[in-house]
Amino acid sequence: MKHSFAILLKSPKFMIGAILFLLMLALVLIYPQINRKDPLEMIALAFQPPDAKLWLGSDNFGRDLFLELMYGIQTSIRVGLIAGVFATAIGLVIGLLAGYVGGLLDNILTAITNIFIVIPSFVILILISVSINSRSSLVTAIIIGITSWPWTARAVRAQTTSLRGRDHVHIAKISGHSTPKIIVFEILPYIASYVVMAFVLQTASGILSEASISMLGLGPYNTISLGIIMNWALVFEAPVAGAWWAFIPAALSIALITFSLYMMNTGMDEIFNPKIRS
């Protein structure tokens, strides 16, 4: 593990993505501790342009957009991370079981996975979001996570199927080790790097999904996220009013976060993928 991390530190793409992501994370965690004002407090006129006091101007409610943006990035990253954990965990469990056990269980789990792949996850996400009356950022993250696991499950199944015929797995079977023990100690370590890459991609996907449903008005209530900031700007016609500061910073933040995560994933892929490495 330490050796793999040392190799990653030599990857320019991974380092660019990691540094960018950590800088943004540090900014959104530190600034609200310095400026402890309520981000929902109305302190100016609607769509007031940026100035020395309001670095990104005000929104349609006359609130400090820069402070809103800090809280919005926090919420979006939190939603993405929680969604990434759920999606990766579900995909990992299903993929490992289907790939190692095989037979009828493999057929059933593969059929379920294919059904979720055929039906667009965004459609399922919208339907579930509409059917739930009370949506917090945690509930939204869980919904995103349970609708975006199929591709991880499919890839993990393929890798597990190729690993179950290895000598060390056969030796573990002969030694009388249980199926869970073989999966955890003989198969999982060989796909650990892919699991991390899948988590990074699922996190980026979760952030984009939250922004998409929040822009439609189906995101979490009583909080601020990047998608909600853009929803407010669209509902109150900020583009028509020429208030670019009400939506462009939020859109750029989404782009920067997802770009940094995709750069990290690309760097890891170049290191751990034997086909690319060769």
Side-chain angles (χ1 to χ4, degrees):
M1 184 65 71
K2 291 182 179 179
H3 178 66
S4 299
F5 185 71
I7 295 175
L8 277 177
L9 294 179
K10 298 179 182 179
S11 170
K13 291 181 180 179
F14 176 82
M15 290 304 298
I16 290 172
I19 291 172
L20 180 59
F21 182 78
L22 290 175
L23 285 175
M24 291 189 68
L25 190 61
L27 175 63
V28 301
L29 291 176
I30 294 173
Y31 184 79
Q33 301 302 317
I34 299 173
N35 185 353
R36 292 183 172 272
K37 294 181 180 178
D38 183 358
L40 299 179
E41 181 184 358
M42 301 179 187
I43 59 175
L45 299 175
F47 293 138
Q48 182 172 318
D51 56 30
K53 292 184 178 180
L54 298 173
W55 296 348
L56 288 178
S58 65
D59 66 359
N60 48 285
F61 297 112
R63 303 180 299 208
D64 185 347
L65 256 172
F66 186 79
L67 186 58
E68 273 188 358
L69 190 68
M70 297 298 101
Y71 282 90
I73 293 174
Q74 276 190 39
T75 301
S76 293
I77 291 178
R78 183 167 60 250
V79 168
L81 290 172
I82 296 172
V85 168
F86 273 84
T88 305
I90 295 171
L92 182 62
V93 170
I94 291 177
L96 286 170
L97 288 175
Y100 179 75
V101 177
L104 179 61
L105 181 62
D106 182 22
N107 293 334
I108 294 173
L109 293 178
T110 300
I112 294 172
T113 302
N114 290 337
I115 290 172
F116 273 85
I117 289 176
V118 170
I119 303 174
S121 60
F122 191 67
V123 174
I124 301 175
L125 179 60
I126 290 176
L127 292 175
I128 297 176
S129 299
V130 170
S131 64
I132 296 178
N133 294 325
S134 179
R135 294 188 300 272
S136 64
S137 58
L138 176 60
V139 171
T140 300
I142 293 173
I143 293 172
I144 293 172
I146 63 177
T147 58
S148 56
W149 56 266
W151 292 107
T152 299
R154 196 172 192 177
V156 169
R157 175 193 172 276
Q159 295 199 21
T160 304
T161 301
S162 66
L163 286 169
R164 71 182 180 187
R166 299 282 181 90
D167 291 340
H168 66 278
V169 176
H170 287 308
I171 293 173
K173 287 181 182 178
I174 296 171
S175 301
H177 294 171
S178 63
T179 296
K181 188 174 182 179
I182 293 174
I183 290 175
V184 172
F185 292 102
E186 303 298 335
I187 292 179
L188 189 56
Y190 287 85
I191 62 172
S193 59
Y194 176 79
V195 173
V196 175
M197 288 189 288
F199 170 70
V200 171
L201 284 180
Q202 292 286 11
T203 299
S205 176
I207 292 171
L208 291 173
S209 296
E210 183 280 324
S212 299
I213 63 172
S214 292
M215 285 182 64
L216 296 175
L218 300 174
Y221 296 146
N222 302 322
T223 188
I224 304 172
S225 72
L226 295 174
I228 291 173
I229 292 174
M230 295 184 69
N231 174 258
W232 289 337
L234 293 175
V235 169
F236 292 92
E237 299 183 343
V240 177
W244 56 267
W245 55 88
F247 57 93
I248 287 182
L252 286 176
S253 297
I254 295 172
L256 284 174
I257 295 170
T258 53
F259 170 76
S260 66
L261 291 171
Y262 282 121
M263 285 292 286
M264 289 170 64
N265 179 76
T266 301
M268 287 188 287
D269 198 28
E270 290 179 350
I271 296 297
F272 297 121
N273 190 328
K275 293 181 179 179
I276 296 178
R277 187 170 63 244
S278 59

